[in-house]
């Protein structure tokens, strides 16, 4: 007979935080959200820390180099998706490591032989209005010109017109030479009344753009996460199939931390992958593993050498693993048990292995609950997929702007390696869906609001650090009727949209 666990599998929505004593030091500006990413020994510091406890999911529709740069500048970390070729993933990692604040790698490029129709299509897909026109259409190809919104009229011009006919050619471009300082670039922009300045190397290859609109944002980011060489930090996802080829390439590209991306972390495949990385690189390469939902799974990965452990199966907004396979656990219950195992392991061995809560976040206050329940940081997909910086298209559907968002277990992602259980190389059935999420604008604007809520909630709990939150927070179960009581009720809410 199967083993039965009598504990109810619970979600974050079934809990609330109890207020603690708010002292004079409990003000949002005094809250410290820094947290470790990889394991460390008692009395020592983690080799990788982030300044806000949020990382973006290992997904095609979420984490590319653009998202990684934006999130690292704002204190978090991205894990660039691994369901792509080794070469393209490594190139994304290199772009993040080579990024300089204020110098933007062009993410919208075409050749002179493309047409105005291609410009319009690319603008709709990316939202960008400045395009680098290069010899091969790449972001670092030999630049032949640029196109901005002032170069064409989409309602009047022939959409079959070649770009070479209306672009600003290289001979007429004002540009900065590669190696120029940001201050010098901004001086040229202001002196010559430009909206953007291409940065060109000695071989006429496009390296960066510097934009007038980004002038204010070029000021130092106080929460920026960088390595010892002052380069932005970035993570990368791997699988348990081609890790012998993928890991060396990502390490060479400069990835700061790796993570095995899988819906089932409690497997011998992950153990073999972890053992390979540790045998080849020792502690020089950091690697997380998962996902697991109980004590046994955590201890298995801890003993195998994981530098952090990811928690959660079936709780993502686009994940249908529970529907398809009946496998999973309520995210709150899973997190509580794994956190207890983590703390016991630390007490026994003196090694602290951070845990990452992956999935189940619907409201911003769920983030505080997850952190109070023991998570060191949170991985989110839907949250970040809504922003300009995610790599998906922004569309107008039913009068509302949305962004595409699909699961790694969907046929669209074709990421069969994430669900690999041995055997033939194919996706047997879908464990994720293809969907849309409401468009929300820029990452920074939304993240600032979210962090404000987190800090305010922590202050109401009487704590000003994540360690204090874990130790001192008081959490209560709620009934279905008290959930209703917590929202607006017994009133007619005014329609303020008109």
């Amino acid at each position: 007979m199967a083993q039965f666990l009598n504990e109810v599998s619970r979600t974050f929505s079934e809990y609330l935080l109890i207020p603690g004593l708010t002292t004079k030091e409990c003000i949002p500006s005094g809250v410290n959200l820094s947290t470790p990413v990889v394991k460390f020994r008692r009395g020592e510091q983690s080799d990788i820390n982030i300044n806000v406890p949020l990382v973006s999911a290992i997904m095609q529709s979420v984490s590319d180099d653009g998202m990684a740069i934006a999130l690292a500048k704002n204190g978090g970390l991205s894990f660039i998706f691994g369901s792509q070729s080794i070469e393209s993933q490594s190139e994304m990692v290199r772009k993040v490591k080579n990024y300089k604040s204020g110098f933007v790698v062009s993410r919208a490029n075409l050749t002179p032989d493309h047409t105005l129709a291609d410009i319009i299509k690319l603008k709709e897909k990316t939202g960008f209005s400045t395009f680098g026109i290069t010899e091969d259409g790449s972001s670092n190809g030999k630049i032949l010109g640029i196109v901005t919104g002032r170069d064409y009229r989409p309602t009047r011009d022939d959409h079959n017109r070649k770009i070479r006919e209306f672009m600003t050619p290289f001979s007429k471009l004002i540009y900065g030479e590669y190696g120029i300082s940001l201050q010098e670039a901004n001086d040229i922009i202001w002196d010559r009344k430009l909206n953007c300045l291409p940065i060109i190397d000695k071989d006429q290859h496009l390296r960066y753009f510097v934009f007038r609109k980004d002038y204010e944002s070029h000021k130092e980011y106080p929460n920026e996460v960088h390595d010892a060489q002052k380069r932005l930090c970035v993570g990368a996802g791997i699988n348990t199939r081609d890790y012998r080829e993928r890991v060396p390439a990502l390490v060479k590209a400069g990835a700061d931390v790796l993570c095995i991306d899988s819906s089932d972390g409690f497997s011998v495949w992950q153990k073999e992958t972890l053992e390979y990385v540790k045998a080849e690189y020792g502690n020089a390469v950091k690697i997380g593993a998962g996902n697991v939902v109980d004590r046994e799974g955590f201890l298995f990965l801890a003993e195998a050498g994981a530098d952090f452990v990811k928690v959660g199966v079936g709780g993502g907004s686009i994940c249908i693993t529970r529907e398809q396979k009946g496998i999973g656990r309520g995210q709150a219950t899973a997190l509580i048990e794994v956190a207890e195992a983590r703390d016991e392991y630390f007490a026994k061995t003196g090694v602290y292995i951070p845990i990452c809560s992956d999935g189940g976040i619907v409201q911003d206050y769920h983030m505080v609950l997850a952190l109070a329940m023991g998570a060191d940081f949170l991985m989110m997909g839907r949250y970040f997929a809504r922003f300009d910086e995610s790599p998906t298209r922004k569309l107008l559907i039913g009068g509302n702007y949305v962004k595409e968002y699909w699961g790694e277990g969907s046929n669209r992602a074709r990421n069969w390696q994430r669900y690999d259980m041995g055997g033939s190389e194919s996706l047997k059935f879908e464990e994720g869906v293809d969907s849309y999420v409401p468009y929300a604008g820029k990452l920074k604007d939304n993240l600032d609001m979210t962090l404000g809520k987190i800090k305010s909630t922590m202050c109401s709990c009487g704590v000003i650090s994540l360690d204090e939150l874990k130790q001192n927070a008081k959490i209560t179960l709620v009934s279905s009727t008290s959930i209703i009581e917590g929202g607006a009720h017994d009133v007619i809410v005014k329609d303020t949209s008109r």
Side-chain angles (χ1 to χ4, degrees):
M1 186 175 179
Q3 178 184 359
F4 285 86
L5 303 181
N6 291 322
E7 183 179 9
V8 176
S9 183
R10 298 190 182 279
T11 67
F12 294 132
S13 292
E14 296 176 79
Y15 294 91
L16 285 175
L17 292 152
I18 300 294
L21 175 63
T22 303
T23 64
K24 290 184 178 180
E25 66 177 0
C26 291
I27 56 175
S29 61
V31 173
N32 180 2
L33 293 177
S34 63
T35 189
V37 174
V38 297
K39 67 184 178 185
F40 57 93
R41 293 191 173 276
R42 183 181 286 112
E44 299 177 355
Q45 296 292 319
S46 175
D47 287 341
I48 301 176
N49 294 276
I50 50 180
N51 295 317
V52 299
L54 308 178
V55 303
S56 64
I58 311 169
M59 301 175 69
Q60 295 175 2
S61 56
V62 179
S63 298
D64 67 347
D65 52 293
M67 176 61 72
I69 290 168
L71 189 50
K73 287 171 66 176
N74 285 281
L77 185 73
S78 285
F79 286 86
I80 290 178
F81 69 94
S83 51
Q84 59 179 315
S85 72
I86 295 172
E87 293 75 19
S88 60
Q89 186 185 23
S90 299
E91 179 59 24
M92 286 187 182
V93 170
R94 278 190 289 271
K95 285 181 179 179
V96 180
K97 299 308 292 185
N98 292 333
Y99 174 84
K100 294 182 179 181
S101 179
F103 292 89
V104 180
V105 175
S106 179
R107 298 174 66 198
N109 306 280
L110 294 167
T111 71
D113 291 324
H114 281 93
T115 65
L116 176 56
D118 295 315
I119 287 281
I120 294 170
K121 183 178 179 180
L122 190 56
K123 182 177 182 180
E124 290 175 349
K125 179 180 178 180
T126 64
F128 302 144
S129 58
T130 298
F131 305 92
I133 309 304
T134 59
E135 196 170 60
D136 60 0
S138 70
S139 60
N140 294 125
K142 184 177 181 179
I143 187 168
L144 302 179
I146 65 171
V147 171
T148 70
R150 295 178 299 179
D151 294 318
Y152 61 91
R153 296 176 296 178
T155 58
R156 293 191 180 185
D157 293 345
D158 181 1
H159 285 200
N160 293 317
R161 194 178 174 202
K162 297 288 187 181
I163 289 175
R164 66 172 69 256
E165 298 176 22
F166 60 88
M167 70 181 186
T168 301
F170 178 74
S171 60
K172 294 184 178 180
L173 283 182
I174 298 171
Y175 58 88
E177 295 183 358
Y178 181 56
I180 191 175
S181 71
L182 183 60
Q183 180 177 341
E184 290 170 330
N186 279 320
D187 286 344
I188 294 174
I189 287 173
W190 285 95
D191 291 344
R192 304 300 293 269
K193 296 180 172 60
L194 305 174
N195 287 322
C196 75
L197 181 73
I199 306 299
I200 314 292
D201 66 18
K202 59 183 177 58
D203 296 318
Q204 200 179 315
H205 289 146
L206 175 63
R207 300 303 295 260
Y208 305 108
F209 278 121
V210 177
F211 292 97
R212 173 186 287 264
K213 64 182 177 61
D214 290 337
Y215 177 74
E216 289 299 322
S217 67
H218 291 166
K219 296 177 182 178
E220 183 178 0
Y221 284 76
N223 285 327
E224 187 175 275
V225 178
H226 50 71
D227 61 20
Q229 287 77 45
K230 302 299 181 181
R231 301 175 302 176
L232 295 180
C233 286
V234 61
I238 66 170
N239 62 67
T240 58
R241 282 273 181 163
D242 65 5
Y243 59 88
R244 293 179 184 274
E245 296 77 38
R246 190 174 293 269
V247 170
L250 293 172
V251 171
K252 183 178 180 180
D256 297 278
V257 57
L258 307 176
C259 184
I260 305 172
D261 182 32
S262 172
S263 65
D264 178 16
F266 196 4
S267 77
V268 294
W269 314 116
Q270 292 221 3
K271 182 174 185 291
E272 290 178 356
T273 305
L274 290 168
E275 289 174 344
Y276 162 81
V277 170
K278 293 306 177 182
E280 290 290 319
Y281 300 98
N283 288 326
V285 172
K286 309 298 183 183
I287 179 170
N291 289 13
V292 298
V293 294
D294 63 4
R295 179 188 309 272
E296 193 176 1
F298 170 83
L299 293 175
F300 176 82
L301 293 177
E303 294 297 332
D307 288 298
F308 68 87
V309 173
K310 209 141 63 76
V311 181
V313 173
S317 60
I318 42 68
C319 183
I320 55 173
T321 294
R322 297 180 193 174
E323 292 179 21
Q324 292 281 49
K325 297 168 61 176
I327 293 288
R329 199 176 196 185
Q331 188 66 12
T333 301
L335 185 56
I336 291 167
E337 180 171 323
V338 173
E340 289 175 350
R342 186 262 328 269
D343 292 344
E344 291 171 7
Y345 187 86
F346 179 50
K348 179 181 178 181
T349 66
V351 176
Y352 187 90
I353 301 178
I355 58 176
C356 168
S357 179
D358 178 16
I361 300 292
V362 180
Q363 306 294 338
D364 285 355
Y365 80 88
H366 290 168
M367 300 180 195
V368 188
L369 277 167
L371 295 166
M373 290 174 179
D376 294 283
F377 56 99
L378 316 176
M379 178 173 281
M380 297 185 293
R382 181 192 60 84
Y383 178 85
F384 291 109
R386 304 172 301 146
F387 304 146
D388 286 324
E389 293 80 2
S390 74
T392 61
R393 295 186 299 171
K394 182 176 73 172
L395 305 171
L396 183 63
I397 296 180
N400 297 305
Y401 281 105
V402 297
K403 292 207 76 178
E404 295 177 304
Y405 180 46
W406 60 91
E408 288 299 294
S410 67
N411 274 319
R412 179 170 183 174
R414 298 190 179 278
N415 185 12
W416 63 267
Q417 295 96 333
R418 187 177 200 273
Y419 301 88
D420 182 28
M421 302 185 75
S424 61
E425 301 180 1
S426 64
L427 189 65
K428 306 299 188 300
F429 53 86
E430 289 187 286
E431 293 187 44
V433 299
D434 197 344
S435 64
Y436 302 111
V437 289
Y439 169 67
K442 292 186 178 296
L443 179 147
K444 180 174 175 54
D445 295 340
N446 288 274
L447 185 60
D448 285 347
M449 182 179 297
T450 294
L451 295 178
K453 292 180 184 179
I454 292 174
K455 291 178 179 181
S456 179
T457 303
M458 289 174 63
C459 289
S460 294
C461 291
V463 300
I464 57 172
S465 73
L466 297 182
D467 282 341
E468 288 183 9
L469 181 67
K470 292 186 182 76
Q471 296 167 10
N472 301 328
K474 294 180 288 184
I475 302 173
T476 182
L477 272 169
V478 296
S479 67
S480 57
T481 52
S482 67
I483 293 174
I484 296 173
E485 179 187 62
H489 59 91
D490 301 315
V491 295
I492 301 173
V493 179
K494 292 180 180 179
D495 182 0
T496 59
S497 63
R498 297 180 180 178

